[in-house]
Amino acid sequence: MEWEIVNSKAVTPQGVMENATIRIKDGRISSISSGIPKDVLPIRINLRGNFVYPGLINAHDHLLGTYLPKVGTNRPYLNWLPWDNDLKSSVVYAERQQLEPEQLYLLGSYKNLISGVTSVLDHIPHFVQKPFLDRSPVRILERFTLSHSICSYSLGWGDGPQIEYARAKEGNLPFVTHISEGFDEESKNALKELNSLGCLGENTVLVHGIAFDGEDIKTVSKTKANLVWCPESNLFMFGRTAPIREILEAGINVSLGTDSPMSGSINIFQEIKSAREFFAKEYGKELDPKIVFKMVTENPAKALRVENDLGKLEIGKKADLLVLSSEKEDAYQTLCSADLKSVRLVVKDGKPSYGDLSLKDFFDETGVTGREIKIAGTDKYLAGDPLGLLESVTRALGYKKDLAFFPVG
């Protein structure tokens, strides 16, 4: 299948291309050029000057934990474990347990999709996520090795850091682990412990890093490890987050992740806003919108070892696209101020997944079936059967649950 976008503003690695035409063939970007070509493809979408970005990448989520409200009875916590204990003993957790894992995975996938995310790193053992990979409307990145964390009270994910890290190096995979998620001695020493095991390098993806000190930052920079920053979750649970200015100044590759809605953001747009608000309050200056853009595109693509396919608008890469409307002239400011109403179209693997209801003919032409739906008060068309999903959730719970991350109606 071949189709094209015309009259767009394409946010490419070289900058914003005005009056851009993007051609898609067999799920990949076949060309990007300025102006409208003389030959016309059978399927053409005129974006009327809207911005086109690569599909966003959420570098840290727990899709099985997609539920609300947040849990945090005894904040601030010393580390993640007492929060987990509060979670498991909460009424909202008992309510969530009435849903099937497939329902939670679909809710988490739609939560990401409607905010422009086309790829998600779902940090959980593979046997948990495997049944849902093919049914998810977003791409759940499955090629990674993992630990839960580096402490005596870590959950038993994987076969141990050293074995998992060796597999990552051998297979060109990311090795993903929570790190320094708290302020007890084990959390403070977690990076040093991981380094002593020989598990720090370009394949290492460290999530959180709240307790990093100056020596930790130097170590991460020297080993070329990657960091995923989740400020919303960190600030909610601990009242603090990673020393992000120093981390960025050290040249560390930083990505953004939402974490689960039960502690973190309801979507990537909220995470972006939380990151910028924290940075401005903590350091008295703006976090550069171009840096933020990279944190949700090319940086996670590099960290998660998928940069050959994702993270940039370039010829040959997968056609994952996000189209945003805005009155702003700057593409990066537009992304940083975006909300659910800003999203005009989301494309994954060269096919529309979500967009304005006015684009329904485009969905039909590309063979994508979905449902008419109202998101945040705007008429949309969403692939799959989201209304059937919500009806099944209502049946399971016995009442209609309002979920801010999927605001239907």
Side-chain angles (χ1 to χ4, degrees):
M1 184 180 68
E2 190 172 9
W3 58 279
E4 66 184 353
I5 284 170
V6 299
N7 191 16
S8 69
K9 297 177 183 177
V11 186
T12 75
Q14 293 74 39
V16 180
M17 181 184 292
E18 300 284 339
N19 192 24
T21 293
I22 304 172
R23 287 192 163 178
I24 312 300
K25 185 176 182 180
D26 298 330
R28 292 187 179 268
I29 298 171
S30 60
S31 69
I32 305 176
S33 59
S34 183
I36 299 179
K38 295 180 180 179
D39 59 319
V40 179
L41 295 182
I43 303 175
R44 168 180 280 185
I45 304 298
N46 188 333
L47 290 186
R48 308 186 188 283
N50 286 329
F51 291 108
V52 183
Y53 305 81
L56 306 184
I57 302 172
N58 184 353
H60 187 70
D61 203 344
H62 299 290
L63 295 178
L64 198 61
T66 303
Y67 210 65
L68 284 171
K70 290 181 179 181
V71 173
T73 307
N74 295 296
R75 295 180 292 149
Y77 295 99
L78 183 64
N79 56 52
W80 68 268
L81 184 58
W83 174 82
D84 193 62
N85 291 335
D86 280 354
L87 172 69
K88 298 291 174 56
S89 62
S90 68
V91 172
V92 68
Y93 183 81
E95 181 182 82
R96 194 190 86 185
Q97 293 303 96
Q98 298 180 66
L99 301 183
E100 295 295 329
E102 182 178 11
Q103 293 171 304
L104 295 169
Y105 262 83
L106 284 171
L107 286 172
S109 296
Y110 280 129
K111 171 201 76 172
N112 279 286
L113 184 64
I114 65 173
S115 61
V117 171
T118 53
S119 299
V120 182
L121 194 290
D122 173 43
H123 188 200
I124 204 163
H126 295 292
F127 74 88
V128 177
Q129 62 178 206
K130 187 175 181 179
F132 316 112
L133 296 175
D134 294 337
R135 286 175 269 176
S136 171
V138 295
R139 181 182 298 103
I140 300 175
L141 298 172
E142 58 178 314
R143 300 189 71 251
F144 62 93
T145 69
L146 82 166
S147 288
H148 175 268
S149 51
I150 311 301
C151 55
S152 62
Y153 46 87
S154 173
L155 300 179
W157 294 1
D159 294 320
Q162 290 169 301
I163 293 174
E164 295 286 323
Y165 180 72
R167 287 174 181 159
K169 290 192 69 176
E170 181 180 358
N172 189 31
L173 305 172
F175 164 65
V176 184
T177 184
H178 297 104
I179 197 81
S180 297
E181 190 182 5
F183 302 103
D184 60 301
E185 286 306 306
E186 287 195 67
S187 295
K188 291 178 181 178
N189 293 321
L191 187 78
K192 296 176 181 63
E193 174 66 17
L194 191 63
N195 194 30
S196 72
L197 296 174
C199 298
L200 280 180
E202 294 181 10
N203 297 75
T204 309
V205 179
L206 305 165
V207 183
H208 298 309
I210 302 169
F212 279 2
D213 59 21
E215 287 303 311
D216 290 332
I217 293 171
K218 289 179 183 177
T219 299
V220 175
S221 178
K222 182 179 179 180
T223 57
K224 299 183 180 179
N226 308 273
L227 179 77
V228 180
W229 185 33
C230 306
E232 176 79 14
S233 178
N234 298 163
L235 293 168
F236 175 77
M237 290 173 61
F238 305 104
R240 289 174 57 183
T241 188
I244 194 64
R245 182 179 63 181
E246 292 78 5
I247 288 168
L248 291 171
E249 288 174 349
I252 294 167
N253 183 53
V254 177
S255 306
L256 274 180
T258 60
D259 215 339
S260 148
M262 300 197 81
S263 66
S265 294
I266 60 171
N267 59 43
I268 200 71
F269 294 147
Q270 185 186 67
E271 194 68 37
I272 288 171
K273 290 179 175 64
S274 293
R276 300 191 78 225
E277 288 170 3
F278 167 79
F279 200 91
K281 182 178 179 180
E282 184 75 8
Y283 304 115
K285 59 187 295 188
E286 180 183 68
L287 180 57
D288 188 339
K290 285 187 179 181
I291 291 176
V292 175
F293 165 71
K294 290 183 177 182
M295 285 180 175
V296 293
T297 54
E298 62 184 79
N299 289 6
K302 177 182 178 182
L304 302 173
R305 321 299 278 186
V306 291
E307 57 189 332
N308 289 337
D309 286 325
L310 305 173
K312 296 179 182 178
L313 287 187
E314 285 184 330
I315 294 171
K317 294 197 186 301
K318 287 183 181 293
D320 281 19
L321 312 173
L322 165 63
V323 178
L324 294 179
S325 64
S326 175
E327 296 179 357
K328 297 180 183 295
E329 294 296 322
D330 183 86
Y332 310 103
Q333 289 282 4
T334 292
L335 176 63
C336 287
S337 62
D339 57 24
L340 295 182
K341 293 182 179 180
S342 309
V343 178
R344 302 270 75 85
L345 176 65
V346 180
V347 174
K348 182 178 75 72
D349 286 325
K351 290 189 175 183
S353 297
Y354 173 66
D356 290 343
L357 184 57
S358 61
L359 295 172
K360 184 181 181 301
D361 287 347
F362 174 45
F363 282 77
D364 294 340
E365 289 173 316
T366 52
V368 176
T369 58
R371 297 286 297 271
E372 295 182 19
I373 195 167
K374 193 178 288 288
I375 297 288
T378 59
D379 293 326
K380 299 292 183 179
Y381 195 77
L382 182 56
D385 187 16
L387 296 179
L389 169 64
L390 292 175
E391 288 168 3
S392 74
V393 169
T394 297
R395 287 194 300 271
L397 298 177
Y399 71 97
K400 185 178 184 298
K401 175 84 173 182
D402 292 325
L403 297 166
F405 54 74
F406 196 26
V408 177

